[in-house]
Amino acid sequence: MKKILLYLPLLLLAACTSMDENPYGDTLRHLTVQVVYPEGHGEHLREGVSVKLEDRNSSNRYTSLTDGEGCAEFIVTSGHYNVMVTDKPDKMSVFQGRIEQLDLVSNDREVSVALHYSKPGSIVIKEVYTGGCAQDAPSTGTYTYDKYIILHNNSDETLYLDGLCLSMVAPYNSKVQNNPWTSVDEEGNVVFRDYAAVPDCIWQFGGSGTEHPLSPGEDAVVAMNGAVDHTKTYSNSVNLNQEGFYVLYDQVYYPDPRSHPVPGDRIEEKNHLKVLKKTGRAGTNVYVISNYSPAVIIFRFPEGFDSAAYLNDDKQSAVQNGSIIYSKVNWEWIVDAVEVSDNTGANNFKRLRTDIDSGSCGFSGTSKGHTIHRRVDEEASQSAGYEVMVDTNNSTDDFYEREQQSLHK
């Protein structure tokens, strides 16, 4: 492997041309990646854009820079790879593309990566805690009814949570190989449907437009199970009964008292998120969230869009797979997302479209209070005077696994 790394810098100087033969033998493969910008954005084609190659078996990552024609080259050992491109040429634009399951076993390859354009989100997901924590000794069990997420205003103006929706994207876990919502084309690109399939339900913040303000750099904590002080029972857990916190709470649809206990005395009723649409299996009384690999989205319906009419019409807003019904959320409605991948065992598979999240944040699968946390942009924070988070729409780069909940005291 050390020899491969020595060859990579030489490739950065090479033009975007085919090699007549592989000088390093049959165990190494030559890959040429052509970056393609969407129509109307061709002016961004340039030298120096980072292209990343990830070995699907070992998770080793390699980086090459494009030449003036938008080509990057690699020489790596034969195997199966992912190709990832994220380009943020200015503060208002992010271009992303990805190829899954690229086969470099038998032959050298020349592939194209089509980039998708998106804007960084103003309200972003800051932290996802779903893995739970260890119970207090002498017990050796785990506790997972203290899940939460934190949202963050990453802009320089006051924004409002009113009407914002929260959901998970199917499949529940990252290791589901036969994902019915995607397919793979001949070049290894994952092809998504026109919508994200949402299992179980859509949750929504209440308010008429200005009841839930979020100042620049301010956080909003959302308890996904009980908004209570979990530390009274388990010292490794967190206190979610705090002023200003929110909670997923709707006893009509989710009456299970252990998963959804009555919120604590410091949680205002206006801060209860309600079920906007319930699908899934009939009779389910618990909102199911993956412990180790959820794909979390926050989204808004477009201004002027009749969301009630849409959701009431199952022919438009719902789709069935097997015995389970899912809600359809248009990718363009999504404000921010994070895909968490379970780093234990077999390969992971994408659930979020590339322009929504071109990567994923690996999670170790422990129940020791670990969370997925967004990185801080130190330079931007110093300039702004409040906390600014990194936001490239690529969870591989934007997030890391934190060893303790940020809310733990």
Side-chain angles (χ1 to χ4, degrees):
M1 191 62 68
K2 290 182 179 179
K3 292 176 69 175
I4 296 170
L5 295 176
L6 291 174
Y7 297 142
L8 285 174
L10 298 176
L11 293 171
L12 302 182
L13 303 176
C16 193
T17 57
S18 299
M19 295 180 70
D20 294 332
E21 60 182 7
N22 186 341
Y24 306 112
D26 293 336
T27 60
L28 296 179
R29 296 287 175 244
H30 176 227
L31 172 66
T32 300
V33 179
Q34 172 68 61
V35 174
V36 180
Y37 285 83
E39 185 177 354
H41 298 279
E43 73 277 7
H44 295 295
L45 183 67
R46 67 194 189 282
E47 183 178 359
V49 175
S50 177
V51 179
K52 296 180 180 179
L53 191 66
E54 180 182 62
D55 189 319
R56 291 180 61 85
N57 295 319
S58 68
S59 296
N60 288 334
R61 298 180 74 188
Y62 312 97
T63 300
S64 180
L65 304 179
T66 59
D67 60 18
E69 297 177 352
C71 290
E73 301 194 55
F74 298 85
I75 289 181
V76 291
T77 54
S78 63
H80 296 90
Y81 293 85
N82 296 330
V83 180
M84 298 166 287
V85 181
T86 298
D87 181 24
K88 193 173 182 180
D90 53 58
K91 293 183 178 180
M92 299 304 297
S93 304
V94 177
F95 295 92
Q96 297 171 316
R98 186 181 179 99
I99 296 177
E100 292 270 355
Q101 304 179 44
L102 179 65
D103 185 354
L104 281 178
V105 174
S106 303
N107 301 293
D108 297 339
R109 296 287 301 273
E110 296 182 6
V111 298
S112 296
V113 177
L115 301 186
H116 301 277
Y117 166 76
S118 60
K119 293 182 179 180
S122 296
I123 295 179
V124 299
I125 298 167
K126 179 179 179 178
E127 185 174 25
V128 178
Y129 169 58
T130 60
C133 63
Q135 296 183 15
D136 293 353
S139 174
T140 58
T142 61
Y143 181 66
T144 59
Y145 293 99
D146 55 350
K147 296 178 172 70
Y148 69 81
I149 70 168
I150 299 180
L151 305 181
H152 179 82
N153 183 353
N154 217 36
S155 75
D156 59 0
E157 58 183 310
T158 297
L159 300 175
Y160 297 89
L161 297 170
D162 304 52
L164 187 69
C165 299
L166 167 68
S167 292
M168 308 293 151
V169 173
Y172 282 108
N173 300 306
S174 62
K175 294 191 179 301
V176 177
Q177 184 170 3
N178 298 318
N179 183 352
W181 314 110
T182 62
S183 58
V184 180
D185 66 16
E186 293 180 354
E187 287 196 333
N189 295 291
V190 177
V191 180
F192 292 85
R193 300 200 187 189
D194 295 335
Y195 54 83
V198 169
D200 224 351
C201 86
I202 296 171
W203 295 90
Q204 187 178 50
F205 287 86
S208 57
T210 57
E211 293 181 36
H212 301 284
L214 204 60
S215 301
E218 187 178 4
D219 294 339
V221 177
V222 182
M224 292 192 279
N225 292 119
V228 298
D229 186 355
H230 298 275
T231 63
K232 289 183 177 180
T233 308
Y234 302 103
S235 63
N236 295 312
S237 190
V238 290
N239 178 10
L240 298 179
N241 179 26
Q242 299 196 46
E243 186 177 349
F245 281 20
Y246 295 83
V247 61
L248 308 184
Y249 187 69
D250 195 319
Q251 284 191 304
V252 173
Y253 294 100
Y254 298 108
D256 181 74
R258 185 178 185 190
S259 298
H260 306 283
V262 175
D265 59 351
R266 304 190 69 184
I267 308 299
E268 297 182 79
E269 187 173 352
K270 70 173 185 176
N271 286 7
H272 297 180
L273 277 72
K274 297 298 184 181
V275 172
L276 194 60
K277 183 179 178 72
K278 173 76 167 66
T279 55
R281 288 192 177 94
T284 302
N285 63 357
V286 174
Y287 182 57
V288 179
I289 305 161
S290 170
N291 287 350
Y292 302 140
S293 58
V296 187
I297 60 171
I298 54 174
F299 69 95
R300 289 188 187 277
F301 294 103
E303 187 175 353
F305 181 79
D306 192 341
S307 59
Y310 173 75
L311 295 173
N312 288 332
D313 184 357
D314 284 347
K315 291 183 179 180
Q316 290 190 70
S317 63
V319 60
Q320 186 166 350
N321 182 64
S323 62
I324 304 178
I325 299 174
Y326 302 79
S327 292
K328 297 194 293 187
V329 173
N330 193 307
W331 294 110
E332 279 67 38
W333 299 345
I334 294 177
V335 175
D336 194 44
V338 55
E339 180 156 5
V340 183
S341 57
D342 183 349
N343 273 2
T344 62
N347 289 331
N348 293 280
F349 299 88
K350 283 291 291 177
R351 292 159 291 172
L352 299 181
R353 205 171 71 176
T354 301
D355 57 323
I356 305 300
D357 186 351
S358 64
S360 65
C361 182
F363 188 70
S364 64
T366 64
S367 296
K368 297 180 179 179
H370 290 200
T371 76
I372 300 301
H373 200 283
R374 190 180 287 267
R375 301 181 188 278
V376 176
D377 188 329
E378 300 289 354
E379 182 178 348
S381 298
Q382 185 174 7
S383 175
Y386 54 84
E387 190 175 54
V388 177
M389 314 306 296
V390 174
D391 183 20
T392 68
N393 290 350
N394 184 339
S395 293
T396 304
D397 299 326
D398 293 354
F399 285 81
Y400 68 99
E401 181 173 349
R402 179 185 173 117
E403 293 189 357
Q404 189 175 66
Q405 315 98 318
S406 67
L407 300 182
H408 184 76
K409 302 296 184 182

